[in-house]
Amino acid sequence: MQQTVLSNGLRVLTIEMAHSRSATVSFYAGAGARYEPPQDAGISHFVEHACFKGSQGRPTPEQISEAIEGVGGVLNAGTDRELTVFYAKVPAAHLSLALDVILDLTIRPVFDAEAFEKERQVVLEELAMVEDQPGQLAELALDGLLWPADPLGRDVAGTPETVRAISRAGAAAYRRNQYTPANTLVSIAGAIDAEAAIETVTASTEDWDFGAPTDWQRAVAPKQREGTERIAVRNKPTEQANVLLGLPGLSAQHPDRYAFHLLTSALGEGMSSRLFVELRERRGLAYDVQAYATHLRDTGALSIYLGVDPANVHEAIGLTVRELGRLREGVSEAELTKVREYTKGRMLLGLEDTRAVSAWFGSQTLLQERARSVEEVIAKLDAVTRDDVARVAGDLVREEQLLLAVVGPFASAEPFAALLRF
């Protein structure tokens, strides 16, 4: 990976993958829930949508999408808590087209008034759709428990009230302030000519008009909670109970994050993980059971998802909590080797794709100022010992920190309180 800093401060990452047939351009911006005051919740996500409605070079959304789809490519974007990304993946011969489209719609969007109002309705429909997705409702409920007084604890897309209040002028000003050379970067991966790509980016960003970005908000540590304060129940007449258990975790910068990731993998990543074997294979309680780690700039979490019959929800939660408690006993050398190789293998297989490689280097560089190489991460994983895993489990897997979110046909949190005990 090569990083070039242009005269305006924009970082351009170029990663040459000689044997690939594609190229991916990703534009990363420091914009997301962590940059928004409560009254503007969802503005980063709305801006992402609005950028696709027309640019100076392609005034209509059809012209933007047809430019990439016309060569068989893929064009998309996403907004998260800490960043917004726009990307185009195309056959390698069309890299210059992808660069032109991505830079035009992010740096020179037109924010047409009529199109902006139409897109407001689209975003409101997206918010309404969440009500019909109990798994996503459970995720939002757990986020609210993990970060109750923080932008991290709310829906990235905002609320219907805040979305209705976002003005076209306010959205345009937010984009101008957050999408600045110093607060964004371009990551290009695939069968590319790095020098030519940098020249194209340089020429395309010479007329960039920008303001001054707002910094992100640091996480607020919640106060200690007891009993039902640690439980969120959303009563919904679903056929399946959607359950999420959570614990505060480690940040992306924490030196123990690799041990934490292997601990999470042992618990619930893959069909040979502890939870999958116990709940699905041995007891037939769940079709979907998984654990995953979240690493943010200054905080993190361990989350466990279960989809179970409401009649079995108490048994399933009790067994999951028991398996969590068992983590504090550590892992065997054989289990550590298995989850280490699983983690390394999944990482390596995922990075065969130019989009994944562009994201690997782009997101790390934007959020952490530097990107760890694959070799560096593998070395960190190889260095994790059984003692490291046991120590991290002892530090983090604590009964008083355990949180529970449930969406299903349940009226009260009270019956679940007794289950949050190891």
Side-chain angles (χ1 to χ4, degrees):
M1 189 273 286
Q2 174 185 342
Q3 176 172 296
T4 303
V5 181
L6 305 187
S7 59
N8 61 9
L10 177 68
R11 291 161 290 177
V12 182
L13 313 181
T14 48
I15 309 99
E16 298 189 43
M17 302 168 65
H19 299 291
S20 173
R21 295 182 182 272
S22 70
T24 295
V25 177
S26 299
F27 178 97
Y28 282 90
R34 303 197 79 174
Y35 296 83
E36 303 167 350
Q39 67 273 18
D40 289 335
I43 194 170
S44 301
H45 176 253
F46 200 157
V47 164
E48 173 225 309
H49 275 245
C51 285
F52 281 91
K53 300 304 106 182
S55 63
Q56 289 182 17
R58 296 171 181 84
T60 69
E62 292 83 3
Q63 288 173 303
I64 291 173
S65 59
E66 286 173 0
I68 298 299
E69 292 179 0
V71 298
V74 177
L75 176 67
N76 211 336
T79 304
D80 209 333
R81 300 164 171 126
E82 298 190 313
L83 58 79
T84 299
V85 58
F86 299 79
Y87 68 89
K89 180 180 178 182
V90 295
H94 298 287
L95 172 60
S96 60
L97 171 67
L99 283 167
D100 182 61
V101 170
I102 289 292
L103 293 173
D104 196 39
L105 71 88
T106 54
I107 297 174
R108 293 177 289 275
V110 294
F111 279 30
D112 174 77
E114 183 179 354
F116 188 84
E117 290 307 316
K118 288 180 180 177
E119 200 60 25
R120 189 193 306 277
Q121 296 307 310
V122 172
V123 174
L124 289 171
E125 288 298 323
E126 185 178 352
L127 284 169
M129 186 172 63
V130 175
E131 286 297 318
D132 295 323
Q133 299 179 337
Q136 193 169 346
L137 288 174
E139 289 180 8
L140 290 171
L142 181 62
D143 289 345
L145 291 171
L146 284 163
W147 300 288
D150 197 290
L152 296 172
R154 66 186 184 221
D155 192 335
V156 169
T159 68
E161 293 73 26
T162 60
V163 169
R164 290 189 184 101
I166 294 170
S167 70
R168 173 173 165 262
Y174 181 85
R175 186 215 61 83
R176 183 177 181 275
N177 288 333
Q178 295 303 126
Y179 291 22
T180 71
N183 199 41
T184 62
L185 64 81
V186 177
S187 179
I188 310 165
I192 65 173
D193 179 333
E195 185 175 345
I198 292 167
E199 289 178 0
T200 300
V201 175
T202 301
S204 297
T205 59
E206 286 178 339
D207 62 346
W208 193 337
D209 175 52
F210 56 89
T214 299
D215 200 5
W216 57 280
Q217 302 173 51
R218 273 60 181 173
V220 178
K223 64 180 180 65
Q224 186 62 48
R225 290 158 290 177
E226 298 179 358
T228 55
E229 293 179 329
R230 296 187 285 139
I231 303 169
V233 172
R234 177 76 181 274
N235 190 354
K236 209 166 181 65
T238 57
E239 293 296 317
Q240 191 176 59
N242 287 260
V243 178
L244 270 164
L245 287 135
L247 286 164
L250 302 176
S251 75
Q253 303 281 19
H254 200 289
D256 282 331
R257 64 163 294 181
Y258 301 98
F260 179 62
H261 194 96
L262 295 181
L263 176 152
T264 305
S265 182
L267 180 66
E269 289 189 19
M271 295 192 297
S272 60
S273 64
R274 294 184 180 191
L275 286 176
F276 194 95
V277 170
E278 183 65 25
L279 271 73
R280 175 166 166 166
E281 302 298 357
R282 291 179 181 163
R283 302 186 185 254
L285 288 174
Y287 170 75
D288 190 5
V289 51
Q290 56 184 297
Y292 53 93
T294 300
H295 301 290
L296 301 171
R297 276 170 156 157
D298 59 343
T299 185
L302 166 62
S303 304
I304 304 163
Y305 172 78
L306 312 169
V308 300
D309 189 305
N312 297 327
V313 69
H314 292 83
E315 180 184 4
I317 292 172
L319 289 168
T320 302
V321 172
R322 187 189 73 179
E323 289 300 323
L324 259 176
R326 285 186 58 231
L327 282 177
R328 296 181 300 177
E329 301 169 10
V331 297
S332 68
E333 195 63 47
E335 186 176 23
L336 178 58
T337 298
K338 181 197 74 172
V339 297
R340 192 195 334 265
E341 294 307 311
Y342 173 91
T343 301
K344 291 177 353 185
R346 286 299 175 94
M347 177 181 68
L348 291 169
L349 291 176
L351 290 174
E352 290 184 339
D353 175 66
T354 59
R355 161 67 182 137
V357 172
S358 175
W360 171 280
F361 289 100
S363 61
Q364 287 190 78
T365 303
L366 182 77
L367 298 176
Q368 303 173 39
E369 299 302 324
R370 63 176 292 267
R372 296 177 176 88
S373 68
V374 174
E375 293 75 19
E376 182 180 354
V377 172
I378 286 176
K380 295 284 188 182
L381 291 168
D382 284 339
V384 174
T385 67
R386 291 176 59 198
D387 288 343
D388 292 330
V389 174
R391 174 176 50 79
V392 171
D395 290 342
L396 297 179
V397 183
R398 295 160 50 193
E399 188 176 285
E400 69 273 16
Q401 298 279 11
L402 189 56
L403 305 167
L404 173 66
V406 183
V407 176
F410 310 103
S412 170
E414 192 64 40
F416 296 100
L419 299 173
L420 301 187
R421 299 194 184 110
F422 296 139

